[in-house]
Amino acid sequence: MARQYSREHEWLDVEGDVALVGITEFAQEQLGDIVFIDLPEVGDEFDKGDDIAVVESVKAASDVYAPLTGEVIEVNDLLADEPATVNASAEEDGWFFKMSIADKSELDELMTADEYKAFVESES
Amino acid sequence: MGADHRLVKWCDVFIMLEPKLDLMPDNKQTALFSLHQELGGKMVPFAGYEMPVQYPLGIMKEHLHTRASAGLFDVSHMGQVELSGDNVEAKLETLLPANVQALKPGRIKYSFFTTEEGGVIDDLMITKDGEGKLFLVINAGCKEKDLAHMRAHLDSVQIVERDDLGLVALQGPKASAVLGRLAPAVIEQAFMSCQFVDIGGVNCRVSRSGYSGEDGYEISIPNTDLDRIVRLLLAEEEVEAIGLGARDSLRLEAGLCLYGHELDETISPVEADILWAIPKSRRESGGFPGAERILAEMASGPKRIRVGIKPEGRAPMREGTELFHGEEKVGVIKSGGFGPSAGHPVAMALVQSDLKEVGTELEAEVRGKRLPCKVAALPFVKQTYYRKSK
């Protein structure tokens, strides 16, 4: 399935009942140098829109919202020691977590790559 | 610096970092505004001005560049004020605890206006230009209240805000070599001294001072020539333009107080641990607002005091984070972030003074979790101000 995007600047690769989630290239660029990422723990459950992670740049802390309702099933341990991986590779090596998808209808609100691109342009 | 340390939501980050100028209709611009835009600066509202928080290099690299080479900062938002009149030195001493009367022409002192309650109205630099002539640099966010305060209390003193002047700081170990190429007289200029030199055909006020912990200069330049002279400086290969983000991380690592954080009207200079700026004569004679509280705290010790804080983990501890010793709340972080040169998170806090010893183990409450941290020596990096070789 093609990559999808949220209005909160996250990307999602959905496979079956599982989504791999990270923040977009646009988001990492806006945040600047990332020095710490507070990731959820495996087994934590979230409703769509809950605070699920925090990204700390040199200057500021920013919340990341759960793009879907579900349970965290894996986190990217690399980010604990190398948070700058997100600056270098936001949409590949810098993925944040995998979560199960409790309600597939929530996927309908996500955007395609083209839609997200237009969304970013309208925001800036 | 402003409120931009707090936990912000995504949308705020975009407001903070994107040049959405329609969101800041009332903000002023410095004479370098178009240059900032040309350099790709991310403009944000700060103390009533649109200022670059960073350039494409990014805060981390801008910070490291300044410590390794030379960084150029636009600080034109700060207030530059001339005071003149008979006995202006003695009159200014009634508002602050510096020994202004002993200041020699061409020398600079750091001081602060105090409140009747012993808090701080603003911190500032005072240069003595000559008998009865002083030049002040005050914080952007405090300009209005400082001017009102001086106008209310300084009788028969002429107070002129020099908003026709811009101000830039050139900071870093190569600042002296760079500026010396354009104006050789600055190379051996003493720390905390001021002289007028010709730069690019313009008479500029050059002070050997700054707020990064590095050697460097602050250069006051007429707005009409500011853009051209800054381009001359930026053309030197050692120099990069540096934004307010790195200015903040540099001063935090250097252990320097920032008004609105470690200093405000409720925090005394004793609590802020800046007693070095109150000379012996003023400790004895008093005669400045709030002397009663300040001298009493000096004698018996303050209840709380500014310290460095080193988080044990990688999570930065931001402004407002509460500190605990066991179950007891013992302090609060006043500035906190990541120290690019230190290589770890750094912070400054006000803590109960019985816990000020370096190495004291505390806990900080970050997003509901207690994280370990320690009281750390300030500064986090060695200050490298210019000392003339004997």
Side-chain angles (χ1 to χ4, degrees):
Chain A
M1 203 172 173
R3 180 162 289 182
Q4 294 172 283
Y5 298 85
S6 78
R7 300 172 75 86
E8 271 72 50
H9 305 283
E10 292 144 309
W11 57 264
L12 295 91
D13 285 345
V14 174
E15 269 195 46
D17 293 331
V18 173
L20 179 71
V21 181
I23 65 169
T24 64
E25 178 60 25
F26 173 78
Q28 78 75 18
E29 207 180 293
Q30 295 300 313
L31 289 166
D33 302 305
I34 294 169
V35 297
F36 178 74
I37 299 171
D38 201 354
L39 288 172
E41 285 177 26
V42 172
D44 287 353
E45 291 180 16
F46 294 91
D47 287 337
K48 179 173 180 278
D50 286 351
D51 296 345
I52 192 167
V54 175
V55 182
E56 300 250 14
S57 66
V58 179
K59 196 79 189 104
S62 310
D63 289 341
V64 176
Y65 304 130
L68 303 166
T69 300
E71 182 184 328
V72 174
I73 54 178
E74 191 180 341
V75 299
N76 187 353
D77 291 327
L78 175 68
L79 303 187
D81 290 326
E82 299 289 344
T85 304
V86 177
N87 292 122
S89 178
E91 303 207 13
E92 296 299 332
D93 298 345
W95 62 276
F96 274 37
F97 51 81
K98 276 184 194 168
M99 68 188 298
S100 65
I101 304 171
D103 178 0
K104 283 213 158 186
S105 72
E106 289 174 352
L107 296 173
D108 298 342
E109 295 159 44
L110 298 174
M111 292 177 276
T112 65
D114 285 345
E115 287 166 345
Y116 177 68
K117 197 168 164 239
F119 170 71
V120 164
E121 278 163 11
S122 73
E123 286 246 297
S124 54
Chain B
M1 218 168 252
D4 36 8
H5 289 265
R6 267 175 248 140
L7 193 74
V8 288
K9 301 284 183 188
W10 278 110
C11 57
D12 299 323
V13 173
F14 296 118
I15 290 168
M16 192 175 90
L17 297 180
E18 278 295 283
K20 283 194 174 180
L21 301 183
D22 54 326
L23 290 171
M24 12 176 168
D26 299 327
N27 285 300
K28 293 183 218 162
Q29 299 173 350
T30 75
L32 293 178
F33 183 78
S34 60
L35 178 60
H36 295 316
Q37 289 199 308
E38 192 182 313
L39 294 171
K42 286 186 173 171
M43 307 305 286
V44 300
F46 179 76
Y49 286 79
E50 289 170 42
M51 299 299 290
V53 67
Q54 65 175 86
Y55 297 92
L57 204 53
I59 295 174
M60 190 91 82
K61 287 190 181 130
E62 289 173 28
H63 175 118
L64 295 170
H65 181 87
T66 304
R67 292 244 188 272
S69 185
L72 187 112
F73 307 72
D74 181 13
V75 288
S76 301
H77 56 311
M78 298 185 81
Q80 303 183 72
V81 181
E82 276 174 8
L83 303 184
S84 57
D86 288 342
N87 294 319
V88 65
E89 297 87 350
K91 288 172 182 168
L92 188 60
E93 283 189 6
T94 65
L95 299 183
L96 45 75
N99 196 345
V100 187
Q101 295 183 77
L103 197 55
K104 295 192 173 71
R107 308 302 296 199
I108 307 170
K109 283 287 178 208
Y110 170 78
S111 191
F112 27 83
F113 293 122
T114 46
T115 69
E116 291 295 339
E117 295 74 35
V120 174
I121 295 170
D122 191 12
D123 61 335
L124 71 157
M125 291 286 192
I126 307 166
T127 303
K128 174 141 173 161
D129 283 341
E131 280 314 304
K133 283 174 72 91
L134 300 172
F135 185 83
L136 312 183
V137 177
I138 57 181
N139 279 305
C142 298
K143 263 191 252 184
E144 299 302 319
K145 70 171 181 177
D146 288 357
L147 287 167
H149 184 61
M150 288 191 281
R151 287 186 179 124
H153 294 99
L154 298 178
D155 285 336
S156 315
V157 169
Q158 215 192 350
I159 301 170
V160 180
E161 189 190 354
R162 293 294 307 269
D163 51 13
D164 58 315
L165 298 174
L167 188 66
V168 294
L170 184 68
Q171 302 278 294
K174 297 191 178 160
S176 166
V178 168
L179 194 60
R181 240 173 260 149
L182 304 174
V186 305
I187 295 173
E188 295 206 0
Q189 184 177 336
F191 180 56
M192 294 295 270
S193 77
C194 169
Q195 63 176 331
F196 283 84
V197 297
D198 182 292
I199 303 174
V202 180
N203 194 34
C204 299
R205 174 189 291 273
V206 175
S207 305
R208 196 151 202 174
S209 55
Y211 226 59
S212 63
E214 298 294 322
D215 180 25
Y217 305 88
E218 289 169 303
I219 312 165
S220 180
I221 304 168
N223 278 329
T224 46
D225 297 291
L226 186 62
D227 182 279
R228 183 175 62 83
I229 290 172
V230 167
R231 284 175 199 269
L232 285 180
L233 293 167
L234 288 173
E236 300 294 319
E237 63 172 350
E238 298 95 333
V239 182
E240 290 285 348
I242 311 295
L244 290 181
R247 182 169 160 82
D248 191 40
S249 55
L250 287 159
R251 72 91 200 168
L252 173 54
E253 277 185 347
L256 299 169
C257 294
L258 181 63
Y259 197 81
H261 294 253
E262 291 75 27
L263 298 174
D264 66 30
E265 296 196 4
T266 69
I267 302 169
S268 78
V270 190
E271 293 173 328
D273 202 17
I274 47 174
L275 279 182
W276 55 268
I278 306 183
K280 191 160 168 277
S281 60
R282 300 305 309 273
R283 296 180 190 199
E284 283 161 4
S285 63
F288 52 88
E292 202 171 311
R293 170 183 172 190
I294 292 166
L295 298 179
E297 277 184 3
M298 284 174 62
S300 58
K303 287 197 183 69
R304 54 182 189 166
I305 193 156
R306 177 175 63 102
V307 296
I309 294 287
K310 180 178 186 267
E312 296 288 281
R314 296 183 65 106
M317 296 174 179
R318 306 281 179 182
E319 181 185 7
T321 300
E322 295 186 332
L323 296 172
F324 293 84
H325 187 247
E327 281 314 298
E328 192 189 359
K329 196 191 139 196
V330 295
V332 63
I333 303 251
K334 304 304 285 184
S335 294
F338 186 80
S341 303
H344 55 73
V346 293
M348 289 196 280
L350 282 180
V351 300
Q352 279 179 21
S353 30
D354 57 335
L355 296 169
K356 72 175 181 182
E357 290 312 314
V358 169
T360 303
E361 293 182 6
L362 301 174
E363 284 184 324
E365 192 166 296
V366 178
R367 295 182 280 275
K369 282 180 263 183
R370 293 281 174 92
L371 303 178
C373 59
K374 275 186 184 163
V375 175
L378 291 174
F380 290 100
V381 295
K382 200 166 161 272
Q383 294 168 339
T384 54
Y385 304 131
Y386 176 70
R387 302 286 173 202
K388 221 170 213 171
S389 47
K390 292 270 160 66

